[in-house]
C-alpha cells in the first residue's frame, strides 16, 4: 500500500462535490462493478456523481442496483473526473477526448498508461473492484449491500468465477468481506457468468461452430452477419471467451469479433499459469493483464486474424 497516494486520493475525494466517473467502451463486469461500487459510495457520502459509460450498461448487468443511474454522456459542470478499470484513456470513448486529464485513475491492468493526475494501479489485484474493496473504507466510504454486489460482480467476472490463473487467497478474502454485507454470491454468479439471453445463446452457437485450434491456441470468430442472424444487439462476444477458456488442452484462448469491414476486436485469455497475454495485446496497442487482455485493430477480419495469430505464437513461443 502506498499510504501517501491513498491519503492524497482520500483528500481529493473529500473535497470533490461534482464528480464524473467513467470506464471503458464495451464494458465488462469489472467496469460496471467498479463504476457502480465507487459511484454509489460517493453518492452515499453526499456527492453529486455522474456514472458514465459511452456504450451504456449491458442488459446482463441491469439487475444491479444503481445501474439505472448510468448515462452515456456527462452533462453540466464537474470538479473531479475519475476513471476506473481503464488502462488506456482513449478507451473511455470519443466523448471524453476533450474532457481533460482525469484527476484519479484506478485500475489493475499492468499495461495502464498512468494517464491520471493520481494513479492507483495495482496489477497484482484480480480486478479493479478488488482494489476498491480494499480502499473504500480507507477513504471514509461505506460498503453497503448494493455496493458490495457491484464489487463482487467485478471480482467474479474478471476471475471467471475464481478460475483464472491469477486468483489469490486475498481475492477470496475480499469476496468473503463483500458477502458479509448479505449479498447473494450464487445469484450474482448465475446472473453475471451463467445466464444468457436467447439471442446471446444463438450468437454463441455461431462462435462455437467456428472454433479452431492449433499450436496451443483455441479461437473463435464472430462476424457482423452472425450478430444479425442471432438478433444479438451488442458488438461484443457475449462472453464467449469464457466458454472458450474452459476448453481443455490449450494454452491460450482467443475470440475475434468483427466490428465493421475494417475493424476487429480481439480478446485473449491465458489458460495456463505463467503465460502473459497482455504483452501480445500491448503489441497491438491494446491492454490488459497477464490472464486477460484485448485490443481493437484496423483491418479486415481475415487480415487481422492472420497477423494476430502469427504474432501471438511468436510472442508467447507457442
Amino acid at each position: 500500500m502506498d499510504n501517501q497516494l491513498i491519503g492524497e486520493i482520500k483528500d481529493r475525494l473529500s473535497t470533490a462535490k461534482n464528480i464524473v466517473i467513467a470506464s471503458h467502451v464495451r464494458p465488462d463486469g469489472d467496469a460496471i462493478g467498479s463504476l457502480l461500487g465507487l459511484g454509489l459510495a460517493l453518492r452515499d457520502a453526499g456527492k453529486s456523481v455522474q456514472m458514465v459509460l459511452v456504450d451504456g450498461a449491458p442488459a446482463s448487468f441491469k439487475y444491479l442496483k444503481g445501474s439505472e443511474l448510468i448515462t452515456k454522456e456527462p452533462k453540466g459542470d464537474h470538479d473531479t473526473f475519475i476513471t476506473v478499470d481503464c488502462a488506456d484513456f482513449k478507451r473511455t470513448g470519443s466523448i471524453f477526448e476533450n474532457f481533460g486529464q482525469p484527476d484519479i485513475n484506478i485500475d489493475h491492468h499492468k499495461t495502464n498508461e498512468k494517464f491520471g493526475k493520481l494513479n492507483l494501479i495495482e496489477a497484482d489485484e484480480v480486478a479493479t473492484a478488488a482494489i476498491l474493496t480494499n480502499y473504500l473504507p480507507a477513504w471514509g466510504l461505506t460498503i453497503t449491500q448494493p455496493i458490495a454486489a457491484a464489487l463482487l460482480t467485478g471480482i467474479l467476472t474478471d476471475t471467471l468465477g475464481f478460475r483464472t490463473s491469477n486468483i489469490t487467497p486475498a481475492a477470496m478474502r475480499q469476496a468473503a468481506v463483500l458477502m458479509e454485507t448479505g449479498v447473494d454470491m450464487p445469484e450474482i454468479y448465475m446472473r453475471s457468468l451463467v445466464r444468457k439471453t436467447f439471442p446471446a445463446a444463438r450468437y454463441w452457437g455461431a462462435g462455437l461452430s467456428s472454433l479452431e485450434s492449433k499450436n496451443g491456441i483455441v479461437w473463435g470468430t464472430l462476424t457482423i452477419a452472425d450478430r444479425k442472424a442471432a438478433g444479438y444487439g451488442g458488438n461484443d462476444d457475449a462472453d464467449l471467451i469464457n466458454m472458450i477458456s474452459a476448453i481443455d488442452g490449450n494454452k491460450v484462448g482467443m475470440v475475434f469479433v468483427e466490428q465493421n469491414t475494417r475493424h476487429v476486436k480481439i480478446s485473449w485469455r491465458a489458460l495456463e499459469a505463467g503465460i502473459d497475454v497482455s504483452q501480445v495485446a500491448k503489441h497491438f496497442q491494446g491492454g490488459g493483464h497477464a490472464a486477460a487482455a484485448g485490443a481493437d485493430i484496423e483491418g479486415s477480419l481475415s487480415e487481422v486474424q492472420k497477423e494476430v495469430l502469427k504474432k501471438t505464437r511468436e510472442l508467447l513461443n507457442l
Side-chain angles (χ1 to χ4, degrees):
M1 178 187 296
D2 184 335
N3 289 323
Q4 180 178 344
L5 176 60
I6 299 307
E8 289 175 348
I9 293 176
K10 180 179 181 179
D11 292 342
R12 189 70 186 83
L13 293 176
S14 66
T15 59
K17 294 181 179 179
N18 298 299
I19 304 169
V20 171
I21 310 175
S23 192
H24 57 78
V25 296
R26 291 188 296 273
D28 58 6
D30 196 20
I32 297 284
S34 299
L35 186 83
L36 283 175
L38 180 58
L40 293 177
L42 289 168
R43 283 172 61 92
D44 289 348
K47 311 293 183 179
S48 173
V49 182
Q50 295 184 65
M51 295 177 280
V52 182
L53 295 170
V54 298
D55 290 331
S60 57
F61 294 110
K62 287 187 176 179
Y63 70 91
L64 290 170
K65 290 184 178 180
S67 62
E68 72 281 0
L69 301 172
I70 296 173
T71 61
K72 292 187 176 183
E73 60 180 331
K75 295 182 179 180
D77 296 329
H78 70 281
D79 56 44
T80 304
F81 178 28
I82 304 171
T83 59
V84 293
D85 196 45
C86 197
D88 178 347
F89 182 63
K90 293 190 295 294
R91 295 203 72 224
T92 57
S94 59
I95 63 172
F96 288 104
E97 284 179 357
N98 301 312
F99 211 67
Q101 183 181 18
D103 296 284
I104 304 171
N105 166 26
I106 304 171
D107 188 32
H108 76 124
H109 297 102
K110 66 181 293 186
T111 57
N112 190 283
E113 297 179 353
K114 298 183 179 179
F115 49 80
K117 296 175 184 176
L118 295 173
N119 298 285
L120 176 56
I121 315 301
E122 296 192 351
D124 290 336
E125 290 291 349
V126 297
T128 301
I131 298 173
L132 292 170
T133 300
N134 291 339
Y135 295 124
L136 286 183
W139 295 333
L141 301 172
T142 302
I143 299 178
T144 62
Q145 187 171 319
I147 292 167
L151 296 175
L152 187 55
T153 296
I155 293 172
L156 278 172
T157 54
D158 250 28
T159 63
L160 305 183
F162 306 114
R163 292 191 290 117
T164 51
S165 59
N166 64 338
I167 197 67
T168 63
M172 306 300 288
R173 286 191 287 269
Q174 288 159 345
V177 166
L178 297 173
M179 287 183 69
E180 286 171 351
T181 66
V183 297
D184 186 341
M185 185 166 75
E187 177 67 9
I188 293 174
Y189 189 105
M190 285 295 296
R191 284 181 174 268
S192 61
L193 289 171
V194 180
R195 290 181 187 167
K196 298 296 170 194
T197 64
F198 184 71
R202 294 188 66 203
Y203 190 43
W204 270 36
L208 291 172
S209 68
S210 75
L211 284 180
E212 298 182 63
S213 179
K214 187 176 181 181
N215 297 331
I217 303 174
V218 58
W219 70 93
T221 305
L222 290 165
T223 67
I224 295 172
D226 292 332
R227 277 200 297 284
K228 290 180 179 178
Y232 183 71
N235 60 356
D236 55 13
D237 68 350
D239 293 328
L240 176 65
I241 188 64
N242 296 346
M243 171 64 76
I244 289 177
S245 297
I247 298 174
D248 197 18
N250 298 281
K251 297 181 178 181
V252 175
M254 297 174 62
V255 174
F256 294 85
V257 184
E258 185 180 31
Q259 302 295 298
N260 55 49
T261 55
R262 298 294 301 174
H263 179 198
V264 182
K265 180 187 183 298
I266 302 96
S267 295
W268 289 265
R269 292 293 184 272
L271 308 185
E272 283 187 0
I275 292 178
D276 181 358
V277 293
S278 70
Q279 62 178 305
V280 189
K282 189 173 182 179
H283 175 83
F284 291 104
Q285 288 72 57
H289 41 89
D296 290 87
I297 303 176
E298 294 295 324
S300 70
L301 180 59
S302 59
E303 292 169 347
V304 169
Q305 196 167 61
K306 181 178 179 180
E307 175 60 23
V308 170
L309 287 169
K310 177 183 177 183
K311 188 55 65 173
T312 299
R313 294 182 185 111
E314 289 177 359
L315 291 177
L316 298 181
N317 297 313
L318 297 176

